[in-house]
Amino acid sequence: MSESSVKTIYLKDYQAPAFELEQVKLTFRLFEDGATVLSVLNFKRCSDKNEQALYLHGEDLELRAIKINDQELSEEDYQLDSEGMTIPYVPAEFVLTCETWIKPQDNKRLEGLYKSSSMFCTQCEAEGFRRITFYPDRPDVMTVFQTCIEADKNLYPVLLSNGNPIESGDLSDGRHFVTWEDPFPKPCYLFALVAGDLYCQEGIFETCSGRKVDLRIFVDHKNANKCDYALDSLKRSMKWDEEVYGREYDLDIFMIVAVDDFNMGAMENKGLNIFNSSCVLANTQTATDMAYQRIEAIVAHEYFHNWSGNRVTCRDWFQLSLKEGFTVFRDAEFSADMNSRVVKRIEDVNFLRTAQFAEDAGPMSHPVRPASYMEISNFYTLTVYEKGAELVRMLHTLLGEAQFRAGSDLYFDRHDGQAVTTEDFVIAMSEVSGRDFSQFQNWYDQGGTPEVKVSSSYDADKKQYSLTFTQSCPIGVADSGEKQAFHIPITLGLIGGNGEDLPLSIADGQSSWVFELVDETETVTFEGVDSEPTPSLLRNFSAPVKLSYDYSDEQLLFLMAHDSDGFNRWEAGQTLSLRVLQTLIQQYQNKETLVLPERFIEVFRSIVLNKELDKAIVCKLLMLPAESYLIELSEEADVDAIHHSREFVRAELSTALRGELEALYYANANVNINTSTGLDFVAMSQRALKNMALSLLSASPNKQAVILAKQQFSTATNMTDSHAALSVLVNSGDDSAAHAALSEFYDKWHEDAQVLEQWFSVQSASASLTDLEGLKKLIALPDFELSNPNKVRSVIGAFCQQNLVSFHHESGDAYALLAEYIIKLDDLNPQIASRLMMPLTRWRKFNTNRQALMLAQLKRIHGKDNLSKDVREVVEKSLP
Ligand code: BES
Ligand code: ZN
């Protein structure tokens, strides 16, 4: 594809469809060498349009027959190009019948209809349906689908699609069919089909109005013992959405199918969610606690889309955050309610600041609602998802629980069955509250991370305390022109000398107040303040901004001990750790001896010894800022200095706190997973804390930790403990211990795809894998398949994103290896190729030597023939 033929799509060019679809009937005939798709589409020209021509999307389809009403079309009656078909003259109302032949067996892009292991499945979001048949593949064309699937009965006893089964029966030649009908109008991106020989785990959910819904989880027979947790998570999600949002499920069946080859985590197809196996399958032997929590969150997320996405959908793909941002907010609140609110918030903010802030500072930076794109698959980003969820959270903070719920009720009620925009969502929130959110819209349309500088002054005579806030937003490489001020909710409190929140004069004596910063600079004054307080700012991270205030170390320690906001207690600790790390990084760069302040060790000692706090919180407090976050905060990131300084801190803490850490380890060692509470948050927190202690212990060069890890590895009764021990051994520097554990683990688990992914990523993410030979050995194993996205992510992805010293080795060899695989994958699976590009897009963060090496690889990729739209967009935006 030549450069000029890749066109950019602009939001401002949006036009409503000229034709609506009254109904769709599809018949799939599945064979071992391909599939025929018969479609019958009832079109009707929209009353306010007079277009004569009909445009249908269609890619890589073999057209076998097409007719309008009873009239066969000949080749002069339509024009085909690489992206679709134009029929120049069509009547106002007509039936289009079309037959296409497709090859699911050859489909390695995993978009449209494809085969994964021995089953047929689909992935249509965002624009995959056009790889199944000719169709107006856009989310604002909604209609009711009837789908008939025919296939060999032995090979594919299970035939599934959206909605309810209405007919089934046997055909000749050992074939059979099932017909499904989905009564809810939907865009084609929510269409799904599955055919295979699958085990079905059934459950039942009684809705708030007393209807019984059949729940079914379909998996490969060998995974029959891995469905319980997903099924339970689904029931909890359904209940929660009724209780918190008043949303009842609408069909009589809800199905989940697990597939091994999947580009994303999971997909919310109406009534038939399709999941990446790694995001649904679990049992205590094979899944880590992290995997369990992820499964609970993803099952919830996809289920919640039934309302936020399916019943009310997006007008066009620029509105993606309308469904994704809102649904991420909903799943985060669900996880907070099921587990710990503060811990969930800490995890999400940590992720946002590390990954989304970096995205927003790089060449792919874009607003939550982008103004343009070349390939929509490139815009399923942290900005659309994570920052988008923060925008919904800010509306929630501004309105409070009750008004937010009223706004969401109005939104769902008013727009049920429609395809709408992010404005429609904000307008509903505005109408129920009478609040003006016109300035708030800037959050949707302006990219970049706003910065808020805060200063304070205290007047002892007047007993007045003032805070001055100044906002700005950097202009990024992808930006044009000045930015307008944001409407920023800043939740804050003032803490008195006794550690207690002061009643705030400005907030009728309440201790926390949402200050709304709307101008560039604003000052607020608090009256009746007897002595200078310590401000607690941006509580619960009330806005996705970089806030700075010049705290003294003493104030940070004070906040860590006393802030009534759990998030800010953690935040104070992080700020303190960052200061220490940044000083050490400088010392390392200046070739000075590194010294860890005694006081810092004492802070950690008191955390380790703390018996009052939740164990999960203690775990978060013991977590040092990640290398990737330190990179994101650097002007010019020195990866080696960052890695060594951080490892130095871990080693010093390990040596100084050895006794305390061992005690912590043993105090939390015995938690049995095979009891009714074995998977509760408390049990998970206990395992997490024990393994955090083990990991810290192993940071100093003492044999004791290796012995402990070996012991844990051989006696573990669950995957969390076994995986944690393996990770410690792999990172221990004790090669023989590492090899022994790795081969034992492999022998035991290599037939289990989910565990094997863990085995791969433990190695590729480990800094002990210092040379590329180790990585190449993993890639060369027969267990590694380039066509399986999970394998690519757990080997190449984990290496590039987590093993940062090795990836950024100054030879540039790892950059070249990454480029080689991006080029290979570009012909196979462009979405995965494009996602792997991310580390190379961050070249501006590194020294000139590394910049040159990364740029050389970007140019090499750019030079590939037939570069996909996906990769092309990212490369061209990344090159200077
Ligand atoms: N709708 C998406 C899945 C999707 C996105 C499919 C893009 C195809 C292209 C789904 O709802 C989703 O957001 N999944 C996330 C997980 C979720 C918990 C954030 C995913 O797959 O990573
Ligand atoms: Zn989603």
Side-chain angles (χ1 to χ4, degrees), residues 123 125 264-268 301-302 305 323-324 380 385:
Q123 172 53 47
E125 187 179 2
M264 302 286 289
M267 176 65 208
E268 71 265 26
H301 177 98
E302 306 311 338
H305 270 314
K323 75 176 177 80
E324 295 302 348
Y380 286 74
Y385 275 69

Side-chain angles (χ1 to χ4, degrees), residues 31 98 116 121 133 215 347 349 429 482 548 659 685 707 831 843 845:
F31 302 99
C98 177
S116 173
C121 63
T133 187
L215 311 178
E347 286 169 351
V349 172
M429 292 295 166
E482 284 296 293
S548 56
S685 306
I707 294 171
Q831 281 184 23
W843 58 271
K845 269 281 168 210

Side-chain angles (χ1 to χ4, degrees), residues 25 60 229 325 415 438 483 681 866:
K25 286 189 179 170
D60 292 341
Y229 198 73
H415 299 297
S438 43
K483 286 184 185 169
F681 186 70
N866 295 316

Side-chain angles (χ1 to χ4, degrees), residues 53-126:
L54 176 75
Y55 184 77
L56 300 173
H57 299 99
E59 289 181 25
D60 292 341
L61 304 171
E62 191 184 311
L63 181 60
R64 293 223 159 144
I66 181 164
K67 62 183 187 185
I68 285 187
N69 298 329
D70 288 327
Q71 186 69 49
E72 289 285 343
L73 300 192
S74 65
E75 281 177 25
E76 302 88 69
D77 298 329
Y78 55 85
Q79 292 131 29
L80 285 174
D81 62 43
S82 65
E83 296 188 348
M85 165 196 291
T86 308
I87 308 176
Y89 300 103
V90 294
E93 213 175 322
F94 59 98
V95 179
L96 184 91
T97 308
C98 177
E99 186 184 329
T100 51
W101 171 251
I102 53 179
K103 296 217 161 175
Q105 291 82 356
D106 298 344
N107 181 349
K108 297 289 173 250
R109 306 169 63 101
L110 315 183
E111 290 176 88
L113 179 65
Y114 63 94
K115 273 199 103 171
S116 173
S117 319
S118 55
M119 74 171 117
F120 286 92
C121 63
T122 53
Q123 172 53 47
C124 296
E125 187 179 2

Side-chain angles (χ1 to χ4, degrees), residues 4 78 183 210 212 242 259 343 391 397 485 517 553 649 709 828 850:
S4 55
Y78 55 85
K212 290 203 167 60
E242 290 183 348
V259 309
V343 169
L391 306 199
T397 301
L517 177 62
D553 286 358
V649 176
L828 216 58
R850 290 188 172 107

